[in-house]
Amino acid sequence: MFDRPDSGERAVLVHLTFHLGQEDLLELKELAKSAGTDPVYVVTGSRQRPDSKYFVGKGKLEELKSIVESYSAEVVLFNHPLSPSQERNLEGFLGVRVVDRNGLILDIFAQRAQSFEGKLQVELAQLKHLSTRLVRGWTHLERQKGGIGLRGPGETQLETDRRLLGLRIKQIQQRLEKVDKQRHQGRSKRKKAEIPSVSLVGYTNAGKSTLFNRLTGADIYTADQLFATLDPTLRNVQLSNSSEIVLADTVGFIRHLPHELVAAFKSTLQEASEADLLLHIIDAHSEDRDEIMVQVNQVLADINADNIPQLEVFNKIDLLENIPPHIDRDEAGKPLRVWLSAQTGAGIDLLYQALTELFSSTQVRRRCFLKPDQADIRARLFTCAKIIDEHIDDLGASDLIIEIDVKHLGVLKDVQMEEIRNSSDGVESATDSQIIN
């Protein structure tokens, strides 16, 4: 019988290179450090395909066992997904805890989750991961041999655990459905109020939370590690043209984000999939930034957010030489990417400028004159337009200056109004009054 030892901090990392689907070794080291382990040795190698029993070959397995004993390692971290039987066979041979890539990420998420929803999502992902690993976990309760129809306590134990896991998974899913409904109501209210939603997405440790804090004045935890923050945070941001957006900081992405996490964090990732604009935060200093951008866009495709407009934000330019803050534009002058440093604040004003331009393209200003009997139109303007100024005379007539999206101009049917535009000296001037019919 083999009992799983408690997980420790001294870790041996295993990274094999295959012709297809290989992971990044540097990312494994960062994941290991983020999980609180101390990597003491890295075992590398190459194979045509994984071994069905141990994932690694016999020679590499003996080498791994010798290294574990030499360094008194307490856990072995594989940079690859392992099958339940492979994980169990490796633990039996090595005598230490074995954790695959998905299990390592789940452990980090469990440490980072702070909110009620985040903890539920992590627990759901862990239970789904664990449910596939109830493979000979109780070898001391072997099935009885003998007569037909006899069933030993080992099978009973597995059935009991599967049933309890299934029950707990169902309970968590029901709770998350309630949380998802609450989030959906919040998004519906913002859409009804015509407040654009902007989600920060990007590779983990690209500086999303630092930028979020810089833009909103929030105090989200930041650190130089993967998945420093997990729970989504929403804040209102006032742009320079007095319009307002809702900014959402979402969980960071990595290569091949485990399916358990994508499924469990569906409601959280939905903030990105239903946003009006994605701020794709990119570590401009990273040597692999182009490859990482492809990986992030792949995850966005997995959550059906690949068709949402993006504004690329190249962060950490303070680590580059001779790269000043600036905006790259397309042929029509529309902002494509902004180069800045969230840490120093250089270029933040350019990001505000780019956001203002993107969300002002369909906004127009009008001066409206409403009669006392047009109170219903006034009420609708307060839900679909931004009221810049208003004066009500003694008879109840309203004189308003509003900012409204062109798609809502139909609300002003039969309303006397003037177009407001900015003159070169900054003084607002209006055209002749007209009636919209």
Side-chain angles (χ1 to χ4, degrees), residues 58-243:
K58 292 183 179 179
K60 188 65 65 175
L61 187 64
E62 293 290 346
E63 177 189 348
L64 183 57
K65 183 176 180 63
S66 175
I67 291 172
V68 167
E69 294 174 350
S70 299
Y71 286 86
S72 300
E74 299 164 295
V75 62
V76 176
L77 305 178
F78 274 74
N79 197 23
H80 315 274
L82 300 175
S83 70
S85 59
Q86 287 172 337
E87 188 174 296
R88 178 60 59 181
N89 292 335
L90 284 166
E91 288 182 337
F93 187 87
L94 299 175
V96 296
R97 182 83 165 94
V98 174
V99 179
D100 71 351
R101 175 184 170 83
N102 290 1
L104 177 60
I105 296 172
L106 286 171
D107 180 75
I108 298 173
F109 271 52
Q111 296 179 43
R112 301 287 189 267
Q114 299 294 328
S115 69
F116 173 73
E117 178 188 8
K119 291 177 181 178
L120 283 179
Q121 289 171 324
V122 169
E123 184 180 357
L124 176 61
Q126 287 179 321
L127 290 177
K128 287 185 174 181
H129 184 72
L130 179 62
S131 65
T132 66
R133 273 148 172 74
L134 295 179
V135 179
R136 299 182 62 83
W138 290 266
T139 51
H140 59 294
L141 298 176
E142 283 290 355
R143 182 179 304 181
Q144 294 180 358
K145 311 297 183 187
I148 296 175
L150 293 180
R151 181 171 56 185
E155 184 177 359
T156 304
Q157 179 71 55
L158 288 176
E159 287 181 347
T160 300
D161 284 307
R162 286 194 180 104
R163 185 176 68 254
L164 293 176
L165 277 175
L167 179 62
R168 180 57 180 165
I169 288 173
K170 185 177 180 180
Q171 291 174 340
I172 294 176
Q173 287 175 333
Q174 290 175 343
R175 292 185 181 182
L176 285 175
E177 285 177 1
K178 294 182 180 179
V179 176
D180 188 36
K181 288 181 180 178
Q182 294 173 349
R183 284 191 173 276
H184 180 71
Q185 290 174 351
R187 286 191 292 266
S188 298
K189 289 181 179 179
R190 294 197 298 270
K191 288 184 179 295
K192 186 176 180 180
E194 297 298 325
I195 301 178
S197 174
V198 179
S199 287
L200 276 68
V201 299
Y203 196 77
T204 184
N205 205 27
K208 294 188 307 303
S209 295
T210 302
L211 180 61
F212 184 88
N213 289 341
R214 177 72 67 173
L215 291 172
T216 65
D219 190 24
I220 296 178
Y221 174 73
T222 60
D224 185 17
Q225 58 187 13
L226 303 188
F227 303 117
T229 54
L230 177 59
D231 299 300
T233 306
L234 285 76
R235 294 287 189 276
N236 289 352
V237 175
Q238 203 81 13
L239 299 181
S240 56
N241 65 345
S242 300
S243 61

Side-chain angles (χ1 to χ4, degrees), residues 391-402:
H391 295 285
I392 302 177
D393 63 21
D394 295 337
L395 299 178
S398 299
D399 180 358
L400 303 95
I401 295 179
I402 64 171

Side-chain angles (χ1 to χ4, degrees), residues 12-27:
V12 172
L13 311 185
V14 180
H15 174 79
L16 299 185
T17 301
F18 299 96
H19 289 293
L20 295 174
Q22 69 181 57
E23 305 292 351
D24 182 63
L25 178 57
L26 178 60
E27 185 177 86

